mmCIF file of all heavy atoms in Angstrom:
data_model
loop_
_atom_site.group_PDB
_atom_site.id
_atom_site.type_symbol
_atom_site.label_atom_id
_atom_site.label_comp_id
_atom_site.label_asym_id
_atom_site.label_seq_id
_atom_site.Cartn_x
_atom_site.Cartn_y
_atom_site.Cartn_z
ATOM 1 N N VAL A 85 9.389 21.640 -33.934
ATOM 2 C CA VAL A 85 10.242 22.271 -32.909
ATOM 3 C C VAL A 85 11.637 21.658 -32.905
ATOM 4 O O VAL A 85 12.594 22.286 -32.464
ATOM 5 C CB VAL A 85 9.606 22.185 -31.496
ATOM 6 C CG1 VAL A 85 8.254 22.871 -31.458
ATOM 7 C CG2 VAL A 85 9.519 20.755 -30.993
ATOM 8 N N TRP A 86 11.751 20.404 -33.420
ATOM 9 C CA TRP A 86 13.058 19.734 -33.425
ATOM 10 C C TRP A 86 13.903 20.090 -34.641
ATOM 11 O O TRP A 86 15.054 19.676 -34.733
ATOM 12 C CB TRP A 86 12.853 18.219 -33.335
ATOM 13 C CG TRP A 86 12.161 17.854 -32.060
ATOM 14 C CD1 TRP A 86 10.886 17.408 -31.920
ATOM 15 C CD2 TRP A 86 12.698 17.952 -30.747
ATOM 16 N NE1 TRP A 86 10.597 17.222 -30.591
ATOM 17 C CE2 TRP A 86 11.696 17.547 -29.849
ATOM 18 C CE3 TRP A 86 13.935 18.349 -30.225
ATOM 19 C CZ2 TRP A 86 11.873 17.523 -28.477
ATOM 20 C CZ3 TRP A 86 14.122 18.328 -28.845
ATOM 21 C CH2 TRP A 86 13.103 17.915 -27.991
ATOM 22 N N THR A 87 13.338 20.856 -35.555
ATOM 23 C CA THR A 87 14.115 21.303 -36.706
ATOM 24 C C THR A 87 14.343 22.812 -36.666
ATOM 25 O O THR A 87 15.024 23.357 -37.533
ATOM 26 C CB THR A 87 13.406 20.939 -38.029
ATOM 27 O OG1 THR A 87 12.119 21.564 -38.052
ATOM 28 C CG2 THR A 87 13.245 19.433 -38.158
ATOM 29 N N GLY A 88 13.779 23.479 -35.675
ATOM 30 C CA GLY A 88 13.907 24.923 -35.560
ATOM 31 C C GLY A 88 15.145 25.337 -34.779
ATOM 32 O O GLY A 88 15.914 24.497 -34.288
ATOM 33 N N PRO A 89 15.337 26.634 -34.619
ATOM 34 C CA PRO A 89 16.532 27.144 -33.946
ATOM 35 C C PRO A 89 16.574 26.849 -32.451
ATOM 36 O O PRO A 89 17.634 26.913 -31.837
ATOM 37 C CB PRO A 89 16.455 28.657 -34.197
ATOM 38 C CG PRO A 89 15.022 28.930 -34.486
ATOM 39 C CD PRO A 89 14.482 27.700 -35.141
ATOM 40 N N THR A 90 15.433 26.515 -31.844
ATOM 41 C CA THR A 90 15.425 26.242 -30.397
ATOM 42 C C THR A 90 15.666 24.778 -30.074
ATOM 43 O O THR A 90 15.696 24.403 -28.900
ATOM 44 C CB THR A 90 14.079 26.673 -29.776
ATOM 45 O OG1 THR A 90 13.026 25.936 -30.405
ATOM 46 C CG2 THR A 90 13.836 28.153 -29.941
ATOM 47 N N ALA A 91 15.848 23.929 -31.078
ATOM 48 C CA ALA A 91 15.967 22.483 -30.849
ATOM 49 C C ALA A 91 17.082 22.147 -29.867
ATOM 50 O O ALA A 91 16.908 21.316 -28.975
ATOM 51 C CB ALA A 91 16.187 21.759 -32.178
ATOM 52 N N GLY A 92 18.231 22.775 -30.010
ATOM 53 C CA GLY A 92 19.354 22.475 -29.124
ATOM 54 C C GLY A 92 19.062 22.817 -27.673
ATOM 55 O O GLY A 92 19.447 22.081 -26.753
ATOM 56 N N TYR A 93 18.360 23.927 -27.458
ATOM 57 C CA TYR A 93 18.004 24.309 -26.096
ATOM 58 C C TYR A 93 17.048 23.288 -25.495
ATOM 59 O O TYR A 93 17.180 22.913 -24.321
ATOM 60 C CB TYR A 93 17.385 25.707 -26.075
ATOM 61 C CG TYR A 93 18.355 26.776 -26.529
ATOM 62 C CD1 TYR A 93 18.406 27.177 -27.866
ATOM 63 C CD2 TYR A 93 19.242 27.364 -25.632
ATOM 64 C CE1 TYR A 93 19.298 28.138 -28.289
ATOM 65 C CE2 TYR A 93 20.149 28.327 -26.044
ATOM 66 C CZ TYR A 93 20.172 28.713 -27.378
ATOM 67 O OH TYR A 93 21.072 29.661 -27.790
ATOM 68 N N LEU A 94 16.083 22.815 -26.296
ATOM 69 C CA LEU A 94 15.144 21.803 -25.814
ATOM 70 C C LEU A 94 15.867 20.495 -25.503
ATOM 71 O O LEU A 94 15.582 19.840 -24.498
ATOM 72 C CB LEU A 94 14.048 21.551 -26.857
ATOM 73 C CG LEU A 94 13.133 22.730 -27.165
ATOM 74 C CD1 LEU A 94 12.153 22.364 -28.278
ATOM 75 C CD2 LEU A 94 12.385 23.187 -25.926
ATOM 76 N N ILE A 95 16.804 20.110 -26.354
ATOM 77 C CA ILE A 95 17.603 18.905 -26.098
ATOM 78 C C ILE A 95 18.356 19.059 -24.780
ATOM 79 O O ILE A 95 18.480 18.112 -24.004
ATOM 80 C CB ILE A 95 18.578 18.641 -27.262
ATOM 81 C CG1 ILE A 95 17.808 18.253 -28.519
ATOM 82 C CG2 ILE A 95 19.593 17.554 -26.905
ATOM 83 C CD1 ILE A 95 18.639 18.268 -29.789
ATOM 84 N N GLY A 96 18.840 20.265 -24.501
ATOM 85 C CA GLY A 96 19.614 20.520 -23.287
ATOM 86 C C GLY A 96 18.798 20.471 -21.999
ATOM 87 O O GLY A 96 19.371 20.347 -20.911
ATOM 88 N N TRP A 97 17.469 20.562 -22.118
ATOM 89 C CA TRP A 97 16.649 20.539 -20.903
ATOM 90 C C TRP A 97 16.839 19.261 -20.092
ATOM 91 O O TRP A 97 16.957 19.309 -18.876
ATOM 92 C CB TRP A 97 15.167 20.677 -21.266
ATOM 93 C CG TRP A 97 14.750 22.070 -21.600
ATOM 94 C CD1 TRP A 97 15.555 23.158 -21.787
ATOM 95 C CD2 TRP A 97 13.413 22.532 -21.815
ATOM 96 N NE1 TRP A 97 14.803 24.262 -22.102
ATOM 97 C CE2 TRP A 97 13.488 23.909 -22.119
ATOM 98 C CE3 TRP A 97 12.176 21.911 -21.788
ATOM 99 C CZ2 TRP A 97 12.356 24.673 -22.378
ATOM 100 C CZ3 TRP A 97 11.040 22.671 -22.047
ATOM 101 C CH2 TRP A 97 11.133 24.040 -22.335
ATOM 102 N N LEU A 98 16.868 18.107 -20.746
ATOM 103 C CA LEU A 98 16.960 16.845 -20.015
ATOM 104 C C LEU A 98 18.301 16.684 -19.292
ATOM 105 O O LEU A 98 18.310 16.438 -18.082
ATOM 106 C CB LEU A 98 16.677 15.657 -20.934
ATOM 107 C CG LEU A 98 16.620 14.301 -20.232
ATOM 108 C CD1 LEU A 98 15.577 14.283 -19.125
ATOM 109 C CD2 LEU A 98 16.344 13.191 -21.240
ATOM 110 N N PRO A 99 19.453 16.845 -19.958
ATOM 111 C CA PRO A 99 20.702 16.755 -19.205
ATOM 112 C C PRO A 99 20.814 17.829 -18.123
ATOM 113 O O PRO A 99 21.403 17.596 -17.065
ATOM 114 C CB PRO A 99 21.804 16.903 -20.256
ATOM 115 C CG PRO A 99 21.146 17.304 -21.511
ATOM 116 C CD PRO A 99 19.699 16.965 -21.402
#
Side-chain angles (χ1 to χ4, degrees):
V85 301
W86 298 109
T87 59
T90 60
Y93 296 93
L94 296 176
I95 292 167
W97 282 9
L98 185 57

